[in-house]
Amino acid sequence: WRTYSEGLESKYVNCLLENNRGMWAATNGGGVSKLEDGIWKPYNEGLESKYVNFLLEDNLGALWAATDEGVSKLEDGIWRTYSEGLKDKYVNRLFVDSHGTILAATNEGASWLDGKTWRLYSDGLDSNVVRCLIEDSPGNIWAATDDGVWKKQEGGAWTTQYTTRDGLGSND
């Protein structure tokens, strides 16, 4: 193993993402850095917060950051914040569904990005804390929450909850 930590403003790395522009790191307190010639270079201009939980590349190749102060998108080397409409700015994870829609998992539910404004996506979801979202091959969205796992059928409501009663080791 070789350690690549030179240049990181924080060695507590929450997420790595590799795309055609290189390797990126989301850190807890150091923002976003990119590995260039074996050294991490910070990319934090305009970033709302240096506490970055997750990085996502959307279907068009844009880089997004989920932070404790909302969601930011890297545009021409500068981060732009898109947090209008988010019920909670603490964003745990981001996800792109098969339609190209960006979804945010927050401590107050889930939201989807409608242009530049977030819309509530968790209507009917009993748990507020959403840790992550994924989509299965038929197009159902699954949410990992602090109250088990929930399933939303495409175009429908959150209808199915899986808990310890269904075999989960814990509902948290």
Side-chain angles (χ1 to χ4, degrees), residues 2-152:
R2 180 172 175 201
T3 303
Y4 291 90
S5 59
E6 186 177 343
L8 281 176
E9 291 185 24
S10 169
K11 292 184 182 177
Y12 184 23
V13 179
N14 291 324
C15 175
L16 293 171
L17 179 128
E18 184 179 24
N19 63 12
N20 64 356
R21 292 171 291 191
M23 179 69 72
W24 300 83
T27 70
N28 205 23
V32 176
S33 294
K34 181 182 173 194
L35 188 62
E36 296 178 2
D37 298 320
I39 299 172
W40 293 100
K41 306 279 184 182
Y43 276 76
N44 293 326
E45 187 176 346
L47 193 61
E48 195 75 17
S49 171
K50 287 189 173 186
Y51 290 88
V52 183
N53 297 316
F54 193 75
L55 294 171
L56 171 83
E57 183 177 48
D58 68 18
N59 294 353
L60 301 175
L63 187 63
W64 295 80
T67 77
D68 67 340
E69 289 294 326
V71 177
S72 296
K73 178 183 178 185
L74 190 60
E75 298 176 354
D76 298 321
I78 299 171
W79 293 98
R80 306 270 186 241
T81 300
Y82 294 88
S83 295
E84 183 180 331
L86 273 177
K87 191 172 178 185
D88 180 34
K89 289 187 177 183
Y90 193 100
V91 181
N92 295 306
R93 294 286 183 273
L94 296 170
F95 175 72
V96 178
D97 71 10
S98 59
H99 304 290
T101 303
I102 297 175
L103 306 171
T106 77
N107 284 348
E108 291 291 328
S111 297
W112 64 278
L113 189 60
D114 180 13
K116 294 184 178 184
T117 303
W118 292 95
R119 306 282 183 214
L120 186 64
Y121 191 74
S122 51
D123 196 25
L125 187 63
D126 285 349
S127 177
N128 284 337
V129 179
V130 179
R131 299 285 176 204
C132 75
L133 299 158
I134 64 162
E135 181 177 17
D136 63 19
S137 54
N140 301 307
I141 300 294
W142 295 77
T145 75
D146 277 6
D147 193 27
V149 176
W150 287 80
K151 177 180 167 185
K152 177 181 173 68

